[in-house]
Amino acid sequence: MRSLVKAIGWRITAGIVTFTTSFYFTKDYRVALSIVGSDFISKSGTMYVGERLFNKVQVGRSKTPGGGDSPWRSIAKALIWRVFAAVNTMVVSVFLMKGNVGAGAKIAGADSVIKTTLMVLYDQAWNKIDWGRELENVGGDGI
């Protein structure tokens, strides 16, 4: 349940950023909302799965019960996720803007810079929340 809540919370945060960058570069709120809607649908599920997969990898995770991810682990997670997310956002943006690769690249690029920073902060904030932790192979609870 924690992974689901964390994924949805991030998608809301990310949606605000994507709407802002999309609107800034397109000046069209309908296109911006379409990009956000597509991102929300396509990335919510993949982020949930990604969180569950990262839960199985112990590198950069505290060994003490209740310990969370190190900042370096959060940075690695953010960078791995951003590669997938940037490609997804660019493809959707170019498709919805009928082939405007330049604007799609600007949206994906701005999103990547802003969201990588926010994702590290978001992940570290979740480390301070004990609710729903399920640490695997650590003898404690937490993701």
Side-chain angles (χ1 to χ4, degrees):
M1 183 58 112
R2 178 183 170 96
S3 294
L4 181 63
V5 172
K6 188 175 176 182
I8 291 171
W10 173 252
R11 288 310 328 144
I12 291 168
T13 303
I16 293 167
V17 172
T18 300
F19 177 81
T20 303
T21 58
S22 298
F23 184 73
Y24 179 81
F25 290 113
T26 66
K27 307 295 188 242
D28 186 336
Y29 74 91
R30 290 171 295 194
V31 170
L33 286 173
S34 296
I35 293 169
V36 170
S38 174
D39 268 8
F40 188 85
I41 292 167
S42 66
K43 293 178 185 171
S44 290
T46 53
M47 185 166 186
Y48 171 79
V49 170
E51 278 296 312
R52 301 309 302 158
L53 291 173
F54 264 107
N55 195 32
K56 298 190 181 304
V57 177
Q58 299 306 312
V59 175
R61 176 169 278 151
S62 173
K63 302 290 187 216
T64 60
D69 293 349
S70 71
W72 291 111
R73 179 179 167 96
S74 293
I75 291 168
K77 286 169 66 175
L79 292 174
I80 290 167
W81 172 252
R82 287 310 321 149
V83 169
F84 166 78
V87 170
N88 181 297
T89 298
M90 182 159 171
V91 169
V92 168
S93 298
V94 170
F95 176 76
L96 290 172
M97 292 182 300
K98 299 173 179 55
N100 188 340
V101 176
K106 288 176 184 176
I107 293 166
D111 264 15
S112 290
V113 171
I114 296 165
K115 289 181 186 174
T116 299
T117 303
L118 287 177
M119 185 175 246
V120 170
L121 296 173
Y122 185 79
D123 202 51
Q124 287 296 297
W126 269 94
N127 283 333
K128 298 181 185 334
I129 300 170
D130 289 332
W131 173 78
R133 287 187 180 265
E134 297 173 6
L135 278 179
E136 296 179 6
N137 304 320
V138 179
D141 290 80
I143 75 163

